[in-house]
Amino acid sequence: ISPERETSRGEVATAVAVATSPARQPTIQGSDTALTIRVESLTLGASLQRDPNIRNVFVSLKVLGASFNTPDLRKVSPPIRVNETFTVPVGPSSKAQQELLRVMTAQYGDRKGSDIAFTVCWYDAASSSGDGEPVAFGSVSMRGMWDSRRDLASQVVKLIDDDTQEETKLVI
């Protein structure tokens, strides 16, 4: 999870999205900052991987009120390479910046707002509806990562299948 900026040479430079001030309060710096989530790979649970009806999947994520979907992913031998990046602008005085600061600095109460929710859905490519059926759910707390000072790269998110309680793993 990092803000992204393009360098003068056209390369993408990344830095940590939140930093501590002397009072240990997260702050957002820069005039064109963005919260970036990169979905690297997906490893379906064993029963989902074996299910012959599941050929195509996608990952849906929700963060700070924004929703995103990966492109369609064909089920292959694990892990499925996703390599998709999603960006939520958190520019100065924006609603997203205010929400990010609120959930990251909350002392008490509900911290669920700092969760990035993930859902893996499968769909039948032959179907005309294009809607996916959710098969695994999970989330990661930006606040939890911040509080534990965990590295914000290559985090494994465990998603659970409600029917089988089997784990699907997502690397972000």
Side-chain angles (χ1 to χ4, degrees), residues 45-48 50 135-136 160-168:
S47 63
L48 296 174
R50 286 190 308 265
V135 292
I160 304 297
D161 180 326
D162 281 344
D163 295 333
T164 65
Q165 297 302 303
E166 193 172 64
E167 272 186 16
T168 288

Side-chain angles (χ1 to χ4, degrees), residues 11-86:
E11 300 167 334
V12 175
T14 57
V16 176
V18 288
T20 55
S21 67
R24 202 172 123 56
Q25 293 291 323
T27 60
I28 298 175
Q29 299 176 353
S31 62
D32 59 344
T33 57
L35 179 65
T36 301
I37 299 103
R38 179 164 181 79
V39 179
E40 296 176 17
S41 64
L42 171 68
T43 302
L44 296 172
S47 63
L48 296 174
Q49 187 65 35
R50 286 190 308 265
D51 189 330
N53 295 318
I54 297 177
R55 293 187 186 123
N56 300 292
V57 298
F58 64 90
V59 178
S60 176
L61 63 120
K62 294 181 181 180
V63 57
L64 297 176
S67 297
F68 304 96
N69 290 331
T70 64
D72 300 340
L73 306 167
R74 183 161 168 77
K75 184 173 76 173
V76 294
S77 297
I80 300 168
R81 297 284 172 219
V82 180
N83 294 327
E84 287 294 323
T85 301
F86 304 96

